Amino acid sequence: MPTTDTARRKRLARRRRKRIIRKVTTAVLSVAVIVATFFIVWSIIDRDDDVTENNNENFISDEHGQSDSGTVFNPDPDPVTDPEQPPVETEQKPDPEPEPEIKMMTVELKKEDIKKGILILVNRQYLYDFPEDDKLIDMFTYKSSAYKFRDTGMMIDPVAGEALNELLVDFYNRTNNGDVNIISTYRTLDDQKRIYASKLDYYGGDVETTEKWVAVPGASEHHTGLAIDLGIYTSDGESFDFRGEDEYAWINENCYKYGFIVRYDSAKTDITGIAYEPWHFRYLGLPHSEIISGTSLCYEEYIGYIKAYPYDGDHMFFTSETGDKYEIFYLRSEGETTTFELPEGSDYFVSGNNVDGYIITVKSGK
C-alpha cells in the first residue's frame, strides 16, 4: 500500500515541523523577555547613578563651601539655570517711613468761661450771667427788602445775625414774600422786667400763666443775643403772629441748616417751662442745630445728652448733610482753670454750657 504509507509519512513530517516551529517561537519569546528585562534594570541603575552623582556634586562640600568637583556650594538655586524655581526679587524695599509725630497743643479755660459761648443753656434754673464783654451788632446792618424790622437798634450776636440774614434772604428768594418781621432780638435785664410786668398785668396777676409765655428776668434767652422772635407784617400794614405755617413753614423746617432751632416744642413744655412758640428761634450753630433737628430732644435734654461723651471717654462723631465731619465732647470744669489737649492746627470752638462745664466742637474736614 505505497500510497497509504506515503500519506502517513507526510503527516508525520508536518507534525515534526510544527513542533520545531513551536520550540523556536518559545525560545525567541524567552530571549525577548530576557532582553527587555535587562534594559529596564539597566535604565534604573543608570538613573540612580545620575542622581547619586548630582547629589555628590551639589551637596558634598567642605567647611568652606568647596565641593569635591571644585565648585562653590550655593544653597539657593540659580533662578536662571533652575526653571522650576521662580525668579527671586533681589531689590530691597526701603523701610517704611515712621508716621509723623502728632504735635499737641494745650487749651486752658477759666471758670467764668462756663457762662460764655453760643451753646449756653439759659432758663429758670440756669440764669444768664450778663458778662461785660458782650459784642453785639445792630441787625439793621443787614437791612434789605427780604424782611422787615419792628424797630431800629435791634442788637444781636454777630454770628447769629449773619446766619439769620442768610436764612431770611433765602426764604425771600424762594417765595418772593418779604412780610417776615423781626420783632425781638437782644434784651437787657430791664427790658425783660418791663415785658414780664406788662404780661403779668395782662393775665391779671396770674404768675403761672405769665411765665408760660414770658421768661423770668435773667432767664430769657434774649439776654444772650442769640434768640430772635419773628412776626408777620404785610405791605398793607397788618400784623400777625408767626405760626410757621403755610409757606412760612419752610423757615421752621430748614432753620437748622443755618444754625437755628425752634426752641420751645409743644411736647416739651414740662421740661422747658415755656409754652409752644413757633416764632422763637435760638442760634446754636452747626453742627448742633442739625444734630438736635434729627432727634426729639429739647435743648435742656441735649445739654445732658452731650455729657455722655466726656473728654476722657468716647467722643461723639457726626457727619452733616453737607459732608462736614465733626468730633464733639464734654469737659467738666475742674475749678479756676481747666485744660485739655488737641492736635495743633485743629479747627475747633469752645462754649460753656452755663451749667458745669464746656462743650468742645472740632471740625475734622469732609
Side-chain angles (χ1 to χ4, degrees):
M1 301 272 305
T3 303
T4 303
D5 290 340
T6 300
R8 185 173 61 84
R9 284 195 297 270
K10 287 181 179 180
R11 285 195 301 272
L12 291 176
R14 285 197 298 269
R15 290 175 182 172
R16 284 196 296 269
R17 286 197 298 273
K18 289 180 180 180
R19 285 196 297 269
I20 292 171
I21 290 171
R22 283 197 298 270
K23 288 181 180 181
V24 171
T25 301
T26 301
V28 169
L29 291 175
S30 298
V31 171
V33 170
I34 293 173
V35 171
T37 302
F38 172 81
F39 278 109
I40 291 172
V41 173
W42 175 259
S43 65
I44 294 174
I45 295 174
D46 183 66
R47 184 172 60 188
D48 287 343
D49 288 341
D50 290 342
V51 171
T52 302
E53 181 178 355
N54 289 336
N55 289 341
N56 289 337
E57 289 180 0
N58 290 331
F59 297 107
I60 299 177
S61 62
D62 59 20
E63 61 181 357
H64 299 294
Q66 185 74 23
S67 69
D68 290 343
S69 61
T71 60
V72 177
F73 168 60
N74 181 7
D76 296 322
D78 186 346
V80 176
T81 59
D82 189 346
E84 295 184 359
Q85 295 293 332
V88 178
E89 184 178 348
T90 58
E91 180 182 357
Q92 293 185 352
K93 296 182 179 180
D95 294 334
E97 295 183 2
E99 294 184 2
E101 181 181 356
I102 299 177
K103 294 183 179 181
M104 305 297 288
M105 62 181 179
T106 300
V107 180
E108 181 177 290
L109 303 172
K110 297 180 180 179
K111 186 176 182 180
E112 55 265 31
D113 292 331
I114 292 176
K115 301 180 179 296
K116 301 177 183 179
I118 64 174
L119 298 176
I120 57 174
L121 173 67
V122 177
N123 58 21
R124 202 174 307 174
Q125 185 177 358
Y126 301 103
L127 303 180
Y128 188 60
D129 192 53
F130 293 96
E132 297 179 358
D133 59 349
D134 270 353
K135 296 179 180 179
L136 305 176
I137 63 169
D138 191 334
M139 190 64 200
F140 200 78
T141 303
Y142 302 104
K143 182 67 180 77
S144 73
S145 60
Y147 50 92
K148 299 179 175 69
F149 297 85
R150 188 181 68 177
D151 296 306
T152 58
M154 304 182 77
M155 307 303 289
I156 193 170
D157 178 275
V159 178
E162 184 174 352
L164 177 60
N165 177 70
E166 185 179 353
L167 169 63
L168 297 182
V169 168
D170 284 354
F171 171 74
Y172 176 80
N173 290 336
R174 292 177 62 89
T175 63
N176 200 34
N177 183 337
D179 292 343
V180 176
N181 189 26
I182 300 175
I183 62 175
S184 183
T185 54
Y186 169 75
R187 297 176 191 167
T188 66
L189 185 62
D190 289 339
D191 290 335
Q192 192 67 20
K193 287 179 179 179
R194 185 177 63 256
I195 294 172
Y196 181 87
S198 175
K199 189 65 71 173
L200 182 63
D201 182 63
Y202 177 82
Y203 286 114
D206 187 340
V207 173
E208 182 178 354
T209 302
T210 298
E211 293 184 357
K212 284 182 178 180
W213 298 103
V214 180
V216 173
S220 173
E221 289 193 319
H222 287 284
H223 296 320
T224 68
L226 297 165
I228 57 103
D229 289 344
L230 298 181
I232 304 297
Y233 187 79
T234 69
S235 57
D236 297 331
E238 294 183 289
S239 297
F240 302 95
D241 288 338
F242 183 94
R243 297 291 182 182
E245 298 172 344
D246 301 324
E247 64 183 345
Y248 299 107
W250 184 90
I251 295 176
N252 295 57
E253 294 168 359
N254 291 275
C255 65
Y256 74 89
K257 299 176 183 178
Y258 301 82
F260 290 95
I261 62 169
V262 179
R263 176 67 170 90
Y264 301 117
D265 192 314
S266 59
K268 301 292 182 176
T269 299
D270 58 329
I271 299 175
T272 64
I274 302 293
Y276 175 48
E277 294 186 351
W279 55 81
H280 181 97
F281 297 83
R282 164 65 192 275
Y283 183 78
L284 302 173
L286 293 168
H288 300 281
S289 60
E290 185 175 338
I291 296 173
I292 292 177
S293 74
T295 72
S296 60
L297 301 176
C298 66
Y299 195 51
E300 281 80 1
E301 293 172 314
Y302 185 66
I303 288 293
Y305 174 73
I306 290 180
K307 291 184 179 181
Y309 300 93
Y311 170 58
D312 57 355
D314 293 331
H315 294 182
M316 180 196 306
F317 293 91
F318 177 76
T319 301
S320 71
E321 293 177 357
T322 58
D324 293 312
K325 297 181 183 297
Y326 297 90
E327 178 180 353
I328 303 165
F329 58 89
Y330 160 77
L331 178 65
R332 186 177 183 83
S333 174
E334 298 176 350
E336 293 302 318
T337 59
T338 303
T339 62
F340 68 97
E341 290 188 335
L342 285 176
E344 285 187 359
S346 294
D347 182 5
Y348 75 101
F349 72 88
V350 179
S351 176
N353 63 7
N354 201 35
V355 179
D356 55 9
Y358 317 90
I359 299 168
I360 293 85
T361 306
V362 184
K363 187 176 182 180
S364 54
K366 288 185 178 289

